[in-house]
């Protein structure tokens, strides 16, 4: 009888020690095969095109394009790609963005090896997986109103040190409109002021530093 084909895996991870650890874990499993590794988004897309893996393990913190942008690029070309996000970030904004972009699972790097292997097999079988601690982080902000693209734009400029008048000039809108957007985003984030709003947004992964 022909043995079943192993689960072919692409690992996208820029940290050499963690990448080596993943390689060792996968090599210890008779039903898994590490077909390629990448350390940034461009390499990941190239290796995916070359090998068409069954499962991609994707870190979020990558040089250049981040993991979610890379996931979007891969699934843009290969809509059925099964991608497991494997990260240290439990920020609800990043979790939401990854899952909305089509991640099949969102796993924290602190999880036990046994759980990672079980999730790889489950996703390969066509399931999706969000562990309890990740679901709990999402639940904390369930029902919160999302920031609009314009509010995020204003927030990025606040982060970069622009004053309200400068933001208005930059976005070609009235200063009163900027003040309106700031009031809305401060309310939505439950912040005390514009600076506090930036701090909260960074902590929740809605904004990168």
């Amino acid at each position: 009888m022909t043995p079943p084909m192993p689960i072919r895996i692409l690992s996208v991870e820029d940290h050499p020690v963690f990448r080596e650890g993943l390689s060792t874990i996968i090599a210890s499993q008779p039903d898994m095969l590490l077909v390629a590794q990448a350390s940034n988004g461009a390499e990941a897309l190239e290796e995916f095109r070359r090998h068409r893996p069954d499962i991609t393990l994707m870190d979020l913190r990558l040089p250049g394009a981040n993991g979610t942008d890379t996931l979007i690029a891969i699934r843009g070309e290969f809509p059925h790609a099964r991608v497991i996000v494997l990260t240290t970030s439990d920020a609800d904004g990043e979790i939401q963005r990854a899952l909305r972009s089509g991640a099949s699972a969102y796993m924290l790097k602190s999880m036990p090896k046994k759980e990672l292997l079980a999730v790889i097999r489950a996703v390969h079988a066509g399931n999706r997986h969000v562990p309890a601690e990740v679901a709990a982080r999402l639940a904390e902000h369930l029902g919160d109103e999302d920031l609009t693209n314009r509010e995020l734009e204003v927030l990025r400029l606040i982060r970069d040190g622009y004053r309200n008048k400068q933001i208005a000039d930059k976005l070609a809108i009235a200063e009163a409109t900027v003040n309106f957007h700031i009031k809305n985003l401060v309310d939505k984030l439950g912040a005390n002021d514009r600076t506090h709003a930036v701090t909260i947004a960074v902590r929740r992964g809605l904004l990168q530093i």
Side-chain angles (χ1 to χ4, degrees):
M1 213 169 107
T2 314
M5 290 285 287
I7 302 169
R8 301 169 67 258
I9 297 168
L10 163 63
S11 166
V12 185
E13 167 63 56
D14 70 324
H15 196 289
V17 173
F18 194 80
R19 191 165 63 229
E20 201 175 309
L22 272 179
S23 176
T24 305
I25 290 168
I26 292 165
S28 71
Q29 303 302 302
D31 62 337
M32 295 181 191
L33 177 67
L34 185 66
V35 292
Q37 299 186 74
S39 59
N40 60 52
E43 276 179 22
L45 191 52
E46 201 178 302
E47 294 299 337
F48 195 100
R49 286 176 183 144
R50 184 176 295 133
H51 296 280
R52 310 289 173 94
D54 301 312
I55 298 288
T56 300
L57 300 175
M58 179 77 68
D59 188 15
L60 285 187
R61 301 279 187 267
L62 296 171
N66 66 33
T68 303
D69 291 337
T70 305
L71 157 66
I72 291 167
I74 288 174
R75 284 181 55 85
E77 278 190 43
F78 305 95
H80 301 297
R82 290 174 178 167
V83 180
I84 297 172
V85 170
L86 190 54
T87 180
T88 54
S89 172
D90 65 351
D92 70 289
E94 292 194 320
I95 299 167
Q96 279 185 33
R97 186 162 179 252
L99 293 176
R100 282 176 184 163
S101 301
S104 298
Y106 193 104
M107 307 299 295
L108 299 177
K109 287 182 176 179
S110 54
M111 76 179 144
K113 176 181 90 170
K114 199 167 87 175
E115 191 180 340
L116 171 62
L117 295 171
V119 170
I120 290 172
R121 292 183 181 107
V123 168
H124 183 246
N127 300 311
R128 298 189 80 195
H129 184 82
V130 177
E133 65 269 34
V134 171
R137 289 290 288 140
L138 278 177
E140 279 177 37
H141 299 282
L142 207 60
D144 284 5
E145 210 180 331
D146 287 345
L147 297 183
T148 65
N149 287 337
R150 180 60 97 186
E151 286 162 358
L152 282 170
E153 224 173 350
V154 169
L155 203 51
R156 284 188 201 104
L157 291 169
I158 295 170
R159 173 202 63 193
D160 295 342
Y162 288 86
R163 295 193 195 87
N164 292 13
K165 173 78 172 70
Q166 293 171 310
I167 294 172
D169 294 343
K170 190 99 175 149
L171 299 178
I173 56 178
E175 191 175 350
T177 308
V178 173
N179 294 339
F180 174 75
H181 287 314
I182 291 173
K183 183 189 178 304
N184 281 349
L185 65 88
V186 163
D187 287 348
K188 285 180 183 179
L189 292 170
N192 301 325
D193 53 35
R194 69 207 291 279
T195 311
H196 188 213
V198 170
T199 307
I200 291 170
V202 168
R203 192 176 68 234
R204 288 184 51 189
L206 303 171
L207 199 62
Q208 306 300 319
I209 296 174

